[in-house]
């Protein structure tokens, strides 16, 4: 049980660092409520599960090829910049109730999934962190235990998803529309910043500067 808890805490700590997903969850939760924020995190968690499978089967090393890395960086640049600009444009246009009724749950889920699956940092992160954890688990445990402890990591990710959605929806009830709009602007700028970083990294790979 102690080993399961340690892997659960690992999953929780992996999800905690502030990044594009947390920024998007806060934005959607403040203006759309708990379900929208949770679905963004759920979409990202599905992408994380895919990365874990890729690491497990050794396929993820294929993504380290310069061409694939450049493609992923450019894809991440376009996706994050687009979502960030969208967040800025919608920040002052509609109230919380309007956005909640107009935006589909599928869009919230797909936003989280696409942001995570197109994030090169996520790929390198899972390859480095989960790759080393997996190697250690395979050396120590049988296949069933490896699967169980991998599920513990996912459970930690899921708990963080729920906590972020709860925090965003709770703040939504007490914040004014002006503050919600301001937070959406900060969130949008954050996403654009991550996107520009990916674009710069792609430029460096392409032109070697």
């Amino acid at each position: 049980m102690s080993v399961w808890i340690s892997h659960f805490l690992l999953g929780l700590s992996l999800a905690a660092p502030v990044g594009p997903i947390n920024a998007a969850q806060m934005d959607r939760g403040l203006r759309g409520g708990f379900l929208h924020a949770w679905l963004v995190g759920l979409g990202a968690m599905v992408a994380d599960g895919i990365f874990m499978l890729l690491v497990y089967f050794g396929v993820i090393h294929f993504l380290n090829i310069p061409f694939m890395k450049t493609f992923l960086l450019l894809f991440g640049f376009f996706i994050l910049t687009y979502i960030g600009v969208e967040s800025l444009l919608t920040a002052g246009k509609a109230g919380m109730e309007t956005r909640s009724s107009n935006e589909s749950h599928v869009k919230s889920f797909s936003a989280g999934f696409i942001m995570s699956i197109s994030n090169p940092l996520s790929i390198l992160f899972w390859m480095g962190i989960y790759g080393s954890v997996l190697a250690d688990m395979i050396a120590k445990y049988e296949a069933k235990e490896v699967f169980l402890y991998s599920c513990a990591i996912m459970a930690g990710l899921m708990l963080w998803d729920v906590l972020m959605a709860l925090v965003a929806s709770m703040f939504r009830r007490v914040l004014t529309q002006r503050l919600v709009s301001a937070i959406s602007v900060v969130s949008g700028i954050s996403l654009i910043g991550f996107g520009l970083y990916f674009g710069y990294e792609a430029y460096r790979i392409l032109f070697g500067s």
Side-chain angles (χ1 to χ4, degrees):
M1 179 59 73
S2 62
V3 179
W4 193 92
I5 292 174
S6 68
H7 285 84
F8 173 80
L9 293 175
L10 173 63
L12 194 61
S13 63
L14 291 178
V18 176
I21 300 300
N22 286 346
Q25 270 192 289
M26 188 61 68
D27 175 47
R28 304 267 172 153
L30 286 172
R31 294 194 285 168
F34 171 84
L35 188 56
H36 284 281
W38 178 73
L39 286 170
V40 170
L42 182 64
M45 195 172 67
V46 170
D48 290 337
I50 292 174
F51 287 140
M52 290 175 74
L53 287 174
L54 290 175
V55 171
Y56 186 83
F57 291 108
V59 179
I60 202 161
H61 292 288
F62 169 72
L63 300 178
N64 254 343
I65 298 172
F67 170 78
M68 289 302 300
K69 189 180 291 186
T70 304
F71 172 78
L72 289 168
L73 284 166
L74 288 173
F75 190 55
F77 162 70
F78 286 116
I79 292 296
L80 291 178
T81 303
Y82 170 78
I83 295 175
V85 170
E86 182 187 42
S87 180
L88 290 177
L89 292 177
T90 58
K93 286 187 177 180
M96 291 180 289
E97 296 79 12
T98 304
R99 174 158 180 169
S100 178
S101 60
N102 288 342
E103 187 169 78
S104 70
H105 295 148
V106 173
K107 185 176 180 180
S108 294
F109 175 86
S110 60
F113 178 80
I114 292 172
M115 274 195 292
S116 187
I117 205 75
S118 65
N119 187 346
L121 292 181
S122 292
I123 297 170
L124 297 174
F125 189 74
W126 283 105
M127 184 173 64
I129 302 297
Y130 182 66
S132 59
V133 170
L134 181 65
D136 181 63
M137 287 194 294
I138 290 174
K140 294 179 179 178
Y141 310 112
E142 296 181 359
K144 286 184 179 180
E145 293 172 304
V146 171
F147 175 76
L148 181 65
Y149 298 145
S150 295
C151 288
I153 295 175
M154 291 301 292
L157 294 173
M158 186 177 294
L159 176 60
W160 182 260
D161 176 23
V162 173
L163 289 175
M164 281 294 296
L166 281 172
V167 168
S169 60
M170 286 170 61
F171 277 133
R172 179 176 183 255
R173 296 190 184 98
V174 299
L175 294 179
T176 65
Q177 180 59 37
R178 180 175 294 180
L179 283 175
V180 170
S181 297
I183 292 173
S184 293
V185 169
V186 172
S187 173
I189 292 172
S190 172
L191 293 172
I192 292 172
F194 280 107
L196 292 176
Y197 169 75
F198 294 151
Y200 173 71
E201 289 298 313
Y203 174 85
R204 286 183 58 193
I205 293 174
L206 284 172
F207 300 102
S209 58

